[in-house]
Amino acid sequence: QSSDLDGTGVEDVLTSSDGLIYPTGVAVDSLGSKLYWTDTGGIKRAGTDGSNVEDLLTEGFIAPQGIAVEKRSSRQRVYFCDPQTSRLQSSPLDASSVEDIAEALQPQ
């Protein structure tokens, strides 16, 4: 959902009919007018108006949660964690690879 900063104007941006199953994190790329979120089965993105939903990443993790987007010109990446594998991971926004950034000494 989205709303005005004062809490009014609440509206659904994405719903289960858009493929939401169990979203656990969201990041907004205001420069690119994109939403990125973690959900069962992967990382997805769409326009900030909910249009053009697409799978960004569907492999290389078990249950991604928490997400951040970096949009510096030299580094455009999405970062996320996976508590099932105890890893902090990253991928370029073109989804060409998934890289481990850090791994816990003992998985939880």
Side-chain angles (χ1 to χ4, degrees), residues 62-63 65 81-88 103-108:
I62 297 173
Q65 295 183 8
C81 58
D82 186 344
Q84 297 292 319
T85 62
S86 298
R87 292 185 179 138
L88 174 61
E103 186 172 351
L105 294 175
Q106 292 183 332
Q108 299 298 317

Side-chain angles (χ1 to χ4, degrees), residues 40-96:
T40 300
I43 297 173
K44 300 181 182 228
R45 72 176 158 202
T48 51
D49 62 356
S51 63
N52 302 315
V53 174
E54 62 180 317
D55 289 327
L56 179 64
L57 295 164
T58 58
E59 298 177 348
F61 44 78
I62 297 173
Q65 295 183 8
I67 188 166
V69 175
E70 179 181 25
K71 289 285 292 219
R72 291 185 295 176
S73 60
S74 62
R75 265 185 88 76
Q76 298 194 10
R77 302 185 71 80
V78 61
Y79 296 86
F80 55 95
C81 58
D82 186 344
Q84 297 292 319
T85 62
S86 298
R87 292 185 179 138
L88 174 61
Q89 296 175 291
S90 174
S91 172
L93 294 183
D94 67 4
S96 58

Side-chain angles (χ1 to χ4, degrees), residues 9-47:
V10 176
E11 61 182 68
D12 289 337
V13 177
L14 296 161
T15 66
S16 59
S17 64
D18 298 305
L20 287 182
I21 299 170
Y22 188 73
T24 56
V26 64
V28 179
D29 167 12
S30 57
L31 295 175
S33 298
K34 297 275 188 189
L35 293 174
Y36 292 80
W37 69 95
T38 54
D39 202 335
T40 300
I43 297 173
K44 300 181 182 228
R45 72 176 158 202

